[in-house]
Amino acid sequence: MSTGPTSAHPVRAHLTTPDGRRLSYLDFGPAEGRPVLALHGHLGEGADFAELAGALGSDGWRVFAPDQRGHGDSDRAERYDQGGYLDDLLLLLAHAGLGHRPLPVLGHSLGAINGYHLAAGRPGTVSALINIDGPAYLPVVAPAPLSFLLDLPYVAPTREELLVACGHLAPLLENGLRPHRNGWRLGSHPKDMVDSDTRLLGDHWHQWLGSDCPALLLHGTAGTVLPTAQAHEMASRRPGTTLVELDADHWVHYGGRRNQRWRSADSSMPFRERARRQIVSDGAVRPSRPLLKSLRL
């Protein structure tokens, strides 16, 4: 009987970076499966892909899903720019023995942007891109859209107290809470997320257009992070890109819209507040069937 990783019982492992940080990742198996790298977005972690990994595992895919720097079980970092994220990904690929041949990279939001930066910056590393609602341009605004997180505590004496402090964000954040010293902590530090979010804002068109591997762009038409017009432009300007539009919000792989009120939200609402409300309303927990169908190419 195999004792390797399976989608039901993934193996959590870690490596130590040159600057001494712990970088954690999940290997969902099966051991003989074709590898795919799965990259979560802000406030996420590798475990976000657990149900998706189960569905893909039945098709012969072996999902490797890191907790990117500052998320989940991975240590906090000094840098949250794309160069820092890519350094970690290259270390992980080498550590896991995946650096000898190109592999598909699936990413959501921040993870999607990191994925296509990897494809552009390291030709021959990525065989195909699956971009889940990751824009090529994010408006530069101040404060950054995730700045509302600064109102949250990072730690609390008990899990219950931390959930109460999270308020309406508790459904989104509760699965990421972790024991921490003599109490509990969030899955990522609010200051780190705002730093990362701030650095992500701006123009990424050069990197999106900087690789020639096939790409699948999955766009949630009820979301606001990636405008539909931009999704169409991303597909039309990049050869070999297929756009699939799904009736879902930004969290396409979590099953789409949970709160119909988001669609009718006042478009004049400040972007910071709209981002907060979308995160609150989109905290679904199951991968969407349309996404699974799209991935089975």
Side-chain angles (χ1 to χ4, degrees):
M1 180 179 295
S2 173
T3 58
T6 67
S7 57
H9 301 284
V11 170
R12 180 171 288 282
H14 73 275
L15 60 94
T16 301
T17 64
D19 59 350
R21 287 179 297 107
R22 172 189 174 101
L23 185 66
S24 182
Y25 66 95
L26 289 171
D27 175 0
F28 286 95
E32 68 280 3
R34 296 167 290 169
V36 57
L37 182 65
L39 305 175
H40 62 78
H42 282 128
L43 302 176
E45 58 181 294
D48 291 352
F49 294 103
E51 291 195 45
L52 184 58
L56 296 179
S58 65
D59 283 348
W61 292 101
R62 180 181 184 178
V63 175
F64 288 84
D67 294 352
Q68 298 193 82
R69 56 174 51 197
H71 295 78
D73 283 353
S74 290
D75 287 341
R76 300 176 65 187
E78 293 292 329
R79 298 168 50 202
Y80 288 95
D81 57 4
Q82 270 46 64
Y85 281 114
L86 263 58
D87 286 346
D88 288 350
L89 296 181
L90 291 170
L91 285 171
L92 171 61
L93 293 178
H95 174 81
L98 302 175
H100 60 284
R101 59 182 300 181
L103 82 168
V105 175
L106 179 156
H108 169 242
S109 197
L110 163 72
I113 294 174
N114 289 344
Y116 67 68
H117 271 254
L118 178 64
R122 288 299 181 107
T125 301
V126 179
S127 63
L129 285 168
I130 302 166
N131 177 340
I132 305 174
D133 226 45
Y137 174 79
L138 288 159
V140 179
V141 295
L146 292 182
S147 293
F148 63 85
L149 295 172
L150 297 175
D151 297 331
L152 301 179
Y154 178 54
V155 298
T158 67
R159 186 176 188 276
E160 291 70 25
E161 289 176 89
L162 189 52
L163 282 173
V164 169
C166 289
H168 295 300
L169 288 172
L172 174 72
L173 301 175
E174 62 179 339
N175 288 340
L177 302 189
R178 285 163 161 75
H180 179 70
R181 298 174 183 170
N182 294 323
W184 285 74
R185 69 169 176 86
L186 299 177
S188 49
H189 198 292
K191 290 183 179 179
D192 295 346
M193 295 303 94
V194 174
D195 183 15
S196 179
D197 192 32
T198 301
R199 294 172 183 270
L200 195 66
L201 302 179
D203 192 337
H204 300 271
W205 276 106
H206 178 74
Q207 289 78 17
W208 171 245
L209 301 175
S211 61
D212 58 5
C213 61
L216 175 64
L217 175 58
L218 298 168
H219 170 51
T221 56
T224 59
V225 176
L226 173 59
T228 296
Q230 186 183 146
H232 283 261
E233 184 180 2
M234 289 174 68
S236 66
R237 289 180 60 182
R238 187 184 184 282
T241 300
T242 300
L243 172 64
V244 175
E245 297 179 289
L246 301 173
D247 183 23
D249 280 316
H250 181 55
W251 277 260
V252 176
H253 57 310
Y254 279 174
R257 221 170 33 253
R258 291 186 71 195
N259 190 337
Q260 290 290 341
R261 289 178 298 173
W262 170 249
R263 246 189 172 172
S264 60
D266 184 356
S267 61
S268 65
M269 186 183 300
F271 183 75
R272 180 172 180 266
E273 175 64 11
R274 286 190 287 126
R276 184 191 69 80
R277 292 198 181 186
Q278 179 159 353
I279 288 175
V280 172
S281 67
D282 287 352
V285 294
R286 298 186 65 84
S288 66
R289 291 299 165 188
L291 172 62
L292 298 180
K293 183 177 180 180
S294 298
L295 292 179
R296 290 175 176 171
L297 301 176

